[in-house]
Amino acid sequence: MKKRKSDLTFLEKVVRNRVLLFMCLPAVIFFFMFNYMPLPGIYVAFVKYNYRDGIFGSKFIGLDNFKFLATSGQLWTLTKNTILYNLAFIILGNMLAVFVAILLNEMQSKWFKKVSQTILFLPYFISQVLVGLLVFNLLNYDTGFVNGILSSLGMERWQPYSDPNVWPVLMVVIYLWQQTGYNSVVYFASIMGIDGEMMEAAKVDGANGFQRIRYIILPSLKPTIVILLLFALGGIVKGNFGLFYNIVGSNPILYPTTDIIETFVYRSTVQSFNFSTASAVGFYQSVVGFVIVMTVNYIVKKIEPDYSLF
């Protein structure tokens, strides 16, 4: 007589699911090596690290490394900039990615759909260094493409590198240009997983394209959107260093609106090889991100238990 699943021992469950477990093994090894094995390195944040004594031989100084951000006088500005930029990236990025995925799904021509996907996907593979170079060549006051057009039209030249107030919009636009194509892939795949018979039934019942999107596609994407938002919120205190550093560089005029935690830490610690303070900042970001994820997941679990992470 075949045993029920509830009656199986742990070893019997392992043997029965050995193929699935074997398929998961590479991911388990990856996360163990790169996420769990480095965890003892957190101790660097609590010591005055030096090369001679190593991590665990260096002098323990408690929370002194964390005073770096608190006493810098910029903790609020840096945290605010980082969180607000990431909120804009997450909210606008996901909205635009869903919009693009729906547009791709509604395209009838397979050839045009593939070409569009390729064009949208290409910016993601451009190096952040090249993105910074492209932006500089577009916005440079003396030889930039934009100012060249303005001059030819007899208009006054634009000086974006001297105006910090325009950069929040510019940074969000640049991020969306580079990331939207890649982010839309997950949503497009989710749309492809929707039961085709349901869509056909809606067409037979007289539902137009907008009604199918509103009543079938968007509700079907809801679990994916919630889960991706929860994952993204975990890194809301971690800024996109490559994007900001390569576009803004070392321009102090723009720091009030473009300086994030990573760029500030890089200038203040990494360039002087102060690994202890840099680790303390990373630990601070991880703790804040963990608290945010747990809080949002708790709220989601209360509202829609099926959409929570755990």
Side-chain angles (χ1 to χ4, degrees), residues 139 141 158-167 251-254 257:
L139 303 179
Y141 179 78
W158 184 32
Q159 303 184 53
Y161 285 98
S162 300
D163 184 6
N165 296 319
V166 302
W167 282 95
N251 186 348
I253 299 175
L254 306 181
T257 58

Side-chain angles (χ1 to χ4, degrees), residues 13-54:
K13 290 180 180 178
V14 170
V15 173
R16 175 172 290 190
N17 299 290
R18 59 186 180 277
V19 177
L20 295 176
L21 292 173
F22 183 76
M23 292 172 65
C24 293
L25 189 60
V28 172
I29 294 174
F30 174 84
F31 282 105
F32 177 76
M33 291 182 62
F34 294 100
N35 290 77
Y36 290 97
M37 288 184 66
L39 280 178
I42 294 174
Y43 188 68
V44 176
F46 303 95
V47 301
K48 187 176 182 180
Y49 177 76
N50 64 76
Y51 296 96
R52 183 184 60 190
D53 299 326

Side-chain angles (χ1 to χ4, degrees), residues 136 159-164 167 244-259 263 267:
F136 181 78
Q159 303 184 53
Y161 285 98
S162 300
D163 184 6
W167 282 95
F244 283 82
Y245 184 76
N246 286 293
I247 291 178
V248 177
S250 301
N251 186 348
I253 299 175
L254 306 181
Y255 287 167
T257 58
T258 61
D259 206 15
T263 53
R267 293 195 310 272

Side-chain angles (χ1 to χ4, degrees), residues 25-182:
L25 189 60
V28 172
I29 294 174
F30 174 84
F31 282 105
F32 177 76
M33 291 182 62
F34 294 100
N35 290 77
Y36 290 97
M37 288 184 66
L39 280 178
I42 294 174
Y43 188 68
V44 176
F46 303 95
V47 301
K48 187 176 182 180
Y49 177 76
N50 64 76
Y51 296 96
R52 183 184 60 190
D53 299 326
I55 296 177
F56 299 102
S58 300
K59 181 182 178 182
F60 181 81
I61 57 175
L63 299 177
D64 286 355
N65 288 322
F66 294 88
K67 294 179 181 178
F68 164 70
L69 274 176
T71 58
S72 65
Q74 302 184 54
L75 179 60
W76 166 244
T77 301
L78 294 170
T79 305
K80 179 190 70 174
N81 286 347
T82 306
I83 291 177
L84 289 179
Y85 272 115
N86 281 329
L87 279 176
F89 294 162
I90 292 169
I91 296 173
L92 296 178
N94 280 278
M95 289 175 61
L96 191 57
V98 170
F99 179 71
V100 169
I102 293 174
L103 286 182
L104 290 172
N105 181 66
E106 295 300 313
M107 290 180 182
Q108 299 301 317
S109 172
K110 292 184 178 180
W111 176 84
F112 187 72
K113 183 185 295 187
K114 290 181 180 179
V115 172
S116 300
Q117 281 183 290
T118 303
I119 293 173
L120 289 169
F121 213 83
L122 282 177
Y124 178 77
F125 295 101
I126 299 177
S127 166
Q128 300 285 15
V129 178
L130 290 179
V131 172
L133 183 62
L134 288 172
V135 173
F136 181 78
N137 285 325
L138 284 172
L139 303 179
N140 182 26
Y141 179 78
D142 296 317
T143 59
F145 177 75
V146 173
N147 280 316
I149 295 177
L150 292 176
S151 297
S152 64
L153 296 175
M155 300 173 65
E156 185 179 352
R157 286 177 174 267
W158 184 32
Q159 303 184 53
Y161 285 98
S162 300
D163 184 6
N165 296 319
V166 302
W167 282 95
V169 175
L170 290 176
M171 296 301 294
V172 172
V173 170
I174 294 167
Y175 174 86
L176 294 177
W177 166 76
Q178 189 175 28
Q179 299 290 332
T180 297
Y182 178 80

